[in-house]
Amino acid sequence: MPASLAAVKRRIDSTKSTRQITAAMQMVSTAKLNQIQHHTTTYQVYADKVKSILASLVKSHAIDSMGANNGMGSLFHPRDVKKTGILVITSDRGLVGSYNSSIIKATLDLMRQKNLTAENTVFLTVGRTGLDFFKKRGMNVAYEYTGVSDVPTYTEVRDIVQAAVSRYQNGEFDELYLAFSHYVNRISSEVITEKFLPISATDLIDETPAEQAADALPGAEYEIEPSVEEFVEMVVPQYAQSLIYGSILDAKTSEHSSSSNAMSSATDNADDIIGTLQLQYNRARQAAITTEITEITGGMTAQE
């Protein structure tokens, strides 16, 4: 076999091997996506119920009596912002298309909008990609968490929530933003950067005009046992966990979707390359055969 034909044949075989790998990775990512979507859907019911309970406390002014330094009640009281915390959720690995770059770009855009620098920003990172990116640029990474499972469990977020809330209460930063990729559907996602702390009553009470009109009417008074303070101390951590766990579930869903789409594109590109190389190989082989026939014919003519 001529050298040129052998080189093209090696490229075809190599591309076919790559295609097998990307096709298998696409199948794995799709299976993970289907699995986590079930968890995300069922968990959202719980998260909505916790939010509803906390919204009822806010609307009844049960939390107003709790001071800015009173346990979990402090999470509702804004203060002068000297430092801003950003909890960035990225993946631990690559091969996920533009998933990580979109999150990092949105985080940098947030920093520009709020005039944030390495001196007045504290990062909490979930995922190795974000950790490596901001550490290499000299940012203050006060907390890092890597190795999030493909379908995160509720217990996994407890350390993350505790780190975020305790650092806010200790004054390491005066507000905290979440930056993560929100899963829209199997072909698209969008990056969300939203404020997590202090908890906003406006965000909790997201009502239609009809509901707002109903709230303007005299309503029932709440009697809470054993006390408002103890009830808030129980509900607020659950609400914080529901937000962060929900964000991580959402981010992981988006990650699996991005990985599936990236591997699908890679597989399609491999098919295109194989087709082009196969056409190139056939043409070169045909040319080689034609040359051999011409040489044989010329030799026979010379003998005659």
Side-chain angles (χ1 to χ4, degrees):
M1 182 183 294
S4 59
L5 281 175
V8 174
K9 188 68 167 62
R10 283 195 300 271
R11 288 189 63 190
I12 291 175
D13 292 340
S14 175
T15 307
K16 284 183 177 179
S17 297
T18 302
R19 186 198 178 282
Q20 289 179 337
I21 294 172
T22 56
M25 293 178 68
Q26 179 192 356
M27 292 176 61
V28 171
S29 295
T30 302
K32 292 177 180 177
L33 175 60
N34 293 334
Q35 185 179 7
I36 198 173
Q37 277 185 302
H38 171 72
H39 288 265
T40 304
T41 302
T42 54
Y43 179 76
Q44 191 59 47
V45 177
Y46 163 79
D48 290 341
K49 178 57 67 174
V50 173
K51 180 180 179 180
S52 174
I53 293 172
L54 198 56
S56 297
L57 289 174
V58 171
K59 287 189 289 186
S60 66
H61 306 287
I63 297 179
D64 294 349
S65 59
M66 300 184 68
N69 299 317
N70 188 1
M72 289 297 169
S74 64
L75 303 184
F76 290 87
H77 295 273
R79 56 196 187 215
D80 293 337
V81 178
K82 297 177 182 178
K83 282 195 174 183
T84 297
I86 305 178
L87 175 57
V88 184
I89 304 173
T90 57
S91 71
D92 289 308
R93 59 184 180 84
L95 301 178
V96 288
S98 61
Y99 174 82
N100 289 314
S101 59
S102 298
I103 298 169
I104 291 173
K105 180 180 181 299
T107 304
L108 295 177
D109 289 342
L110 174 66
M111 294 182 68
R112 280 191 291 269
Q113 293 169 8
K114 297 182 65 62
N115 297 319
L116 300 178
T117 64
E119 288 72 30
N120 61 3
T121 308
V122 178
F123 279 93
L124 294 81
T125 61
V126 177
R128 185 163 298 280
T129 303
L131 168 65
D132 293 341
F133 179 88
F134 291 109
K135 267 194 172 180
K136 288 179 181 178
R137 282 152 183 81
M139 297 296 176
N140 178 14
V141 180
Y143 176 84
E144 58 188 69
Y145 188 99
T146 58
V148 178
S149 61
D150 291 325
V151 182
T153 61
Y154 190 76
T155 55
E156 284 187 67
V157 306
R158 289 179 181 172
D159 289 342
I160 303 173
V161 176
Q162 184 177 3
V165 173
S166 63
R167 280 170 166 76
Y168 175 80
Q169 291 179 314
N170 293 337
E172 289 188 33
F173 44 81
D174 304 298
E175 61 180 358
L176 178 64
Y177 282 83
L178 291 178
F180 62 97
S181 180
H182 166 61
Y183 174 80
V184 178
N185 52 51
R186 287 181 179 260
I187 61 174
S188 66
S189 299
E190 63 177 351
V191 179
I192 292 179
T193 53
E194 62 182 6
K195 185 181 287 189
F196 170 52
L197 294 174
I199 299 173
S200 170
T202 304
D203 293 338
L204 281 172
I205 309 172
D206 185 14
E207 299 179 322
T208 64
E211 291 172 330
Q212 293 175 358
D215 286 340
L217 299 174
E221 295 184 0
Y222 287 84
E223 293 184 4
I224 299 175
E225 295 182 355
S227 68
V228 173
E229 288 77 10
E230 292 183 63
F231 189 71
V232 170
E233 291 292 321
M234 179 184 66
V235 174
V236 172
Q238 293 187 42
Y239 176 69
Q241 289 174 3
S242 72
L243 280 181
I244 293 183
Y245 179 52
S247 299
I248 292 175
L249 270 180
D250 197 0
K252 269 294 180 180
T253 305
S254 179
E255 178 186 337
H256 294 323
S257 176
S258 297
S259 177
S260 176
N261 292 334
M263 293 303 99
S264 175
S265 297
T267 302
D268 292 340
N269 290 338
D271 285 334
D272 293 339
I273 293 173
I274 291 171
T276 301
L277 290 174
Q278 191 67 56
L279 181 61
Q280 182 180 343
Y281 176 81
N282 291 339
R283 286 176 177 173
R285 185 167 177 271
Q286 184 178 8
I289 292 173
T290 302
T291 300
E292 291 177 2
I293 293 175
T294 301
E295 291 175 350
I296 292 173
T297 303
M300 292 176 61
T301 302
Q303 288 180 356
E304 293 177 356

